[in-house]
């Protein structure tokens, strides 16, 4: 939450105050960008397991990294790596839209914010993304499997 506020106001001259898991404070320590904090831990773990089992993300992706980058946990892992997305960037866009469907539909989250943050949180087959794919029609079994997973919840 504090990260979102500082993203909007700016951090120049403002020390970021981060509550660590052991209740200590670090001032001026920049936290990596993460997705907005809307997902529950249980739901994010289900998403993580589905994405790993079906080859959407690299099997080397650590659960702690995924949970932090998806906005579930507040403290970044020490040796955090971006999530390495293995299928099309259009499928990544769709996964993010489905993951954050509730706040998007309520209007409390904008797609532009997801697009901005995704480039910091995800790699595309091991390479840094310049931008998230624009919406387009894609027809594939992988996309159907992804949409069916989110539809059942």
């Amino acid at each position: 939450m504090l990260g979102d506020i500082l993203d909007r106001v700016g951090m120049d001259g403002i020390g970021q105050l981060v509550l660590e898991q052991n209740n200590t404070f670090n001032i001026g320590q920049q936290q990596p960008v993460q997705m907005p904090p809307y997902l529950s831990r249980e739901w994010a773990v289900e998403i993580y397991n589905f994405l790993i089992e079906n080859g959407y993300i690299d099997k080397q992706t650590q659960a702690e990294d995924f949970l932090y980058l998806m906005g579930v946990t507040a403290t970044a892992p020490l040796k955090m790596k971006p999530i390495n997305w293995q299928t099309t960037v259009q499928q990544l866009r769709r996964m993010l839209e489905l993951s954050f469907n509730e706040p998007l539909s309520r209007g409390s989250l904008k797609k532009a914010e997801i697009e901005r943050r995704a480039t910091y949180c995800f790699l595309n087959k091991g390479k840094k993304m310049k931008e998230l794919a624009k919406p387009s029609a894609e027809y594939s079994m992988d996309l159907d499997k992804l949409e069916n997973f989110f539809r059942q919840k």
Side-chain angles (χ1 to χ4, degrees):
M1 179 81 126
L2 181 60
D4 289 336
I5 294 168
L6 291 174
D7 281 347
R8 290 189 178 101
V9 198
M11 291 185 42
D12 295 337
I14 300 174
Q16 182 177 2
L17 188 65
V18 179
L19 180 60
E20 299 288 340
Q21 288 178 340
N22 62 359
N23 294 327
T24 60
F25 293 96
N26 294 318
I27 299 185
Q29 182 179 8
Q30 177 114 4
Q31 291 287 86
V33 175
Q34 66 186 129
M35 299 306 286
Y38 288 101
L39 300 176
S40 71
R41 183 176 190 84
E42 295 79 21
W43 179 227
V45 168
E46 282 186 55
I47 294 170
Y48 169 78
N49 289 329
F50 171 79
L51 296 175
I52 287 281
E53 290 168 9
N54 291 283
Y56 291 95
I57 60 176
D58 187 356
K59 294 198 184 294
Q60 304 302 317
T61 303
Q62 299 296 311
E64 297 83 29
D65 295 349
F66 183 85
L67 293 175
Y68 175 79
L69 290 168
M70 291 298 284
V72 176
T73 58
T75 305
L78 291 177
K79 295 184 180 182
M80 187 186 66
K81 295 180 183 174
I83 302 164
N84 191 6
W85 190 259
Q86 298 294 308
T87 62
T88 67
V89 183
Q90 187 59 41
Q91 290 172 19
L92 170 58
R93 169 181 275 285
R94 190 68 183 131
M95 184 277 294
L96 291 171
E97 288 172 350
L98 293 167
S99 294
F100 295 101
N101 184 47
E102 186 178 327
L104 284 169
S105 62
R106 283 192 320 235
S108 59
L109 177 64
K110 303 288 183 212
K111 284 186 182 181
E113 186 65 16
I114 289 177
E115 291 170 358
R116 184 184 72 79
R117 293 179 184 219
T119 59
Y120 295 105
C121 299
F122 290 88
L123 298 174
N124 180 23
K125 298 176 184 164
K127 296 179 182 171
K128 185 161 175 52
M129 290 188 298
K130 291 182 182 165
E131 63 181 17
L132 191 59
K134 298 295 180 205
S136 66
E138 177 184 325
Y139 304 101
S140 70
M141 290 178 58
D142 286 337
L143 189 60
D144 287 346
K145 190 186 308 183
L146 189 67
E147 289 181 346
N148 286 335
F149 169 75
F150 282 93
R151 205 172 288 137
Q152 69 187 2
K153 297 298 173 186

